[in-house]
Amino acid sequence: MIVMKFGGTSVESAAAIERVASIVKARAHRRPVVVVSAMGKTTNKLLAIASTAIDGAREEYIRQIHDLRDFHSREARLVVPLADRAELDRLLDEHFQELTELVKGLAVLGELTPRSIDAISSYGERLSSYIVSLAFRHFGMDTAHLDSRQVIVTDRRHTQAAPLYPETYARLAAVVPALAGNEAENKIVVMGGFIAATEDGVTTTLGRGGSDFTAAIVGAGIGAEEIQIWTDVDGMLTADPTILPGGHRVKTISFAEAAELAYFGAKVLHPATVVPAVEKNIPVLILNSRRPEVSGTRIVSEAVPCGNVVKSIACKRKITLVNVHSTRMLMAHGFLRRIFEVFDRHETAVDMVSTSEVSVSLTIDNTRSLAAICQELSQFSEVSIEDGQAIVCLVGDNIRYTPGVAMRVFGALDGINIRMISQGASLLNLSFVVAETDLHRTVQALHNEFFAELDAEVFDAA
Ligand code: ADP
Ligand code: ASP
Ligand code: MG
């Protein structure tokens, strides 16, 4: 069996779903399990509905829910066979009635908790998985819909839940192959990504972009031979195309490199995706649903020999730099611990750290608790904040073996102010902080420096 995951843009419309159907059909002999994201920007729209509701704008949220229903109904009707229209309408009625009730409840409470955010945002994948499952029948495939909340079991950390692996794997192994049937009578199992449930059945989600993670969990749970992540780009590119278009396709990359890139902002892959895949040594492929003929990126467990030092450049925008200056004395022991305890108490992850004699700089991307963090830090230090920063991260196994990489970086970035730099923590990355306003020219300069020549075994030139 293989797992095929299709992201939001890959199922954003009837035409997109039709493309997906033909991609899956062509691979039906490999007994695919299909994981889908919410259609297009549905998750964002659901979150917008929730915030309109707590603002008390009743007419506005009713209109937003109507629009969302219209959108799903319009696109679905174009791909669901006539015989299944009644079932489609029933599904849409049921889901949108429930959603409306939930949103009304939120409006009354005027408060949005992580648990209710999960309840609302789950509707995207719940709807898309039903619609895609019905649509496949229109294209001559036999399908079985599976509600992911019955098989993916997580802890209670709403909006960022972590799977409870033994229970999840046990359920997947028991349920999925049974639904899929045997070779002779195969059904294509279709399930939503991103959504899950606690052991007591309360809906949770795996975090934004979490459908990739679902695909990997499912792949590991059923012992799939391959996990395919179908998206809107040709694969992992040498630069984030939203910052620098025209990057080259990386044909093969190691799990370690891909994880590092994902962690430092390559949105094409959710950072947790590789964890279950590594554990079970299942190759992961990134493929383009608009250009299925392109061979994409293959992520494999062993390091990939490569003539280039760097495989790709990842970026994380909207970074905030927190500078903490010791007021009492030179760095006393215990100073770092006290600082990290504050971030820990506020459940705020720190991405990069650098220290000097009396000060420490850290970067964070989640500023939800920033005011409280600053308040606590200022009890024993002076704190200053700089927002509008970006992390740029060069990733490649060869960085650890190649002398002079930092020199090439500094040479290429002549005239750009580097605020922070870090190398060595993972051996395969070199990362630094620049102002967001310098991001484009930083990536451009580095891309020119490190990808002027390409190892044709590893890269496919744009
Ligand atoms: P999906 O909805 O299919 O999950 P995402 O939007 O989550 O798609 O991820 C795909 C996007 O990731 C691409 O459209 C691209 O803008 C972005 N991206 C960021 N960095 C990279 C990179 N290094 N290579 C490819 N895509 C990248
Ligand atoms: N629909 C979810 C999101 O937009 C999960 C995903 O697409 O991977 O974050
Ligand atoms: Mg994604």
Side-chain angles (χ1 to χ4, degrees):
M1 298 180 93
I2 60 170
V3 176
M4 303 177 75
K5 176 262 171 176
F6 294 91
T9 44
S10 299
V11 294
E12 70 187 352
S13 62
I17 293 174
E18 191 171 338
R19 276 197 297 273
V20 166
S22 80
I23 290 169
V24 173
K25 200 169 178 182
R27 289 154 187 81
H29 60 283
R30 299 184 73 186
R31 305 177 67 215
V33 174
V34 173
V35 174
V36 290
S37 289
M39 291 172 67
K41 300 261 173 269
T42 298
T43 310
N44 287 348
K45 288 180 187 159
L46 288 163
L47 293 172
I49 290 171
S51 63
T52 311
I54 57 159
D55 290 344
R58 185 164 194 284
E59 269 165 37
E60 175 69 5
Y61 75 69
I62 294 289
R63 188 190 57 76
Q64 287 173 313
I65 296 176
H66 268 285
D67 287 354
L68 197 62
R69 185 190 160 122
D70 279 351
F71 161 69
H72 280 86
S73 170
R74 187 182 60 236
E75 299 304 323
R77 286 183 149 266
L78 296 170
V79 281
V80 169
L82 266 177
D84 287 333
R85 290 280 167 80
E87 189 178 351
L88 172 68
D89 288 338
R90 185 184 58 74
L91 280 168
L92 291 173
D93 282 343
E94 195 181 289
H95 282 82
F96 279 96
Q97 263 163 30
E98 243 182 73
L99 175 65
T100 308
E101 290 309 312
L102 192 63
V103 174
K104 280 183 182 160
L106 279 184
V108 172
L109 292 173
E111 191 187 28
L112 203 54
T113 62
R115 180 173 166 153
S116 47
I117 291 175
D118 277 350
I120 300 257
S121 55
S122 72
Y123 281 87
E125 273 73 7
R126 286 160 67 184
L127 287 161
S128 65
S129 58
Y130 274 118
I131 291 170
V132 168
S133 166
L134 290 178
F136 280 5
R137 295 190 199 160
H138 187 60
F139 298 97
M141 287 178 275
D142 207 0
T143 59
H145 178 265
L146 172 60
D147 187 333
S148 302
R149 295 172 299 169
Q150 288 170 7
V151 282
I152 313 285
V153 190
T154 68
D155 60 18
R156 295 160 200 269
R157 284 182 46 217
H158 285 284
T159 75
Q160 277 301 333
L164 305 178
Y165 284 104
E167 178 61 20
T168 300
Y169 287 163
R171 291 195 195 186
L172 285 165
V175 174
V176 175
L179 273 179
N182 53 32
E183 226 113 312
E185 246 177 278
N186 189 34
K187 281 197 168 127
I188 292 168
V189 177
V190 180
M191 54 197 288
F194 179 56
I195 57 175
T198 63
E199 278 176 302
D200 334 318
V202 179
T203 300
T204 55
T205 65
L206 302 175
R208 294 306 306 270
S211 295
D212 301 334
F213 192 19
T214 305
I217 298 166
V218 173
I222 63 170
E225 61 192 66
E226 194 170 284
I227 297 160
Q228 302 181 345
I229 305 292
W230 291 83
T231 182
D232 59 356
V233 281
D234 282 351
M236 185 66 83
L237 305 173
T238 49
D240 183 335
T242 61
I243 293 164
L244 185 72
H248 315 292
R249 174 167 62 95
V250 187
K251 293 193 278 190
T252 319
I253 198 165
S254 70
F255 279 127
E257 290 169 320
E260 201 77 20
L261 286 165
Y263 181 75
F264 281 103
K267 189 186 162 217
V268 66
L269 206 63
H270 183 278
T273 311
V274 294
V275 176
V278 168
E279 192 191 62
K280 302 272 158 106
N281 197 11
I282 305 173
V284 176
L285 263 74
I286 305 174
L287 296 154
N288 189 344
S289 68
R290 292 174 199 206
R291 306 205 316 148
E293 67 284 359
V294 178
S295 61
T297 297
R298 191 175 183 82
I299 308 173
V300 294
S301 54
E302 63 285 359
V304 183
C306 180
N308 289 63
V309 187
V310 174
K311 291 265 172 49
S312 176
I313 307 168
C315 311
K316 231 173 165 174
R317 278 175 275 205
K318 295 194 185 142
I319 293 294
T320 299
L321 200 60
V322 182
N323 302 301
V324 188
H325 190 84
S326 170
T327 42
R328 308 242 169 90
M329 58 198 112
L330 304 183
M331 284 273 244
H333 80 93
F335 185 57
L336 282 175
R337 178 179 52 74
R338 288 182 79 184
I339 294 175
F340 281 109
E341 274 171 0
V342 173
F343 286 89
D344 193 42
R345 260 198 301 284
H346 293 281
E347 295 183 2
T348 298
V350 171
D351 286 327
M352 268 175 73
V353 190
S354 81
T355 64
S356 77
E357 189 185 18
V358 285
S359 54
V360 179
S361 298
L362 317 101
T363 67
I364 57 172
D365 64 356
N366 171 0
T367 52
R368 205 173 38 206
S369 307
L370 187 58
I373 289 172
C374 288
Q375 206 270 326
E376 281 187 37
L377 289 174
S378 61
Q379 286 165 14
F380 59 91
S381 60
E382 269 165 25
V383 187
S384 67
I385 303 295
E386 291 168 65
D387 53 14
Q389 307 293 308
I391 296 177
V392 177
C393 178
L394 302 177
V395 174
D397 277 327
N398 285 343
I399 290 178
R400 74 179 89 179
Y401 307 116
T402 315
V405 180
M407 189 185 74
R408 284 176 70 185
V409 170
F410 288 123
L413 299 189
D414 193 20
I416 296 173
N417 185 22
I418 301 178
R419 288 290 291 103
M420 234 170 115
I421 182 156
S422 142
Q423 179 180 17
S426 86
L427 298 176
L428 48 75
N429 97 40
L430 191 155
S431 37
F432 44 89
V433 176
V434 295
E436 239 182 306
T437 46
D438 287 332
L439 182 59
H440 176 77
R441 63 187 181 117
T442 300
V443 176
Q444 175 94 69
L446 292 170
H447 202 267
N448 291 347
E449 172 67 28
F450 288 99
F451 298 107
E453 276 168 48
L454 296 175
D455 179 341
E457 289 290 310
V458 177
F459 301 96
D460 183 26

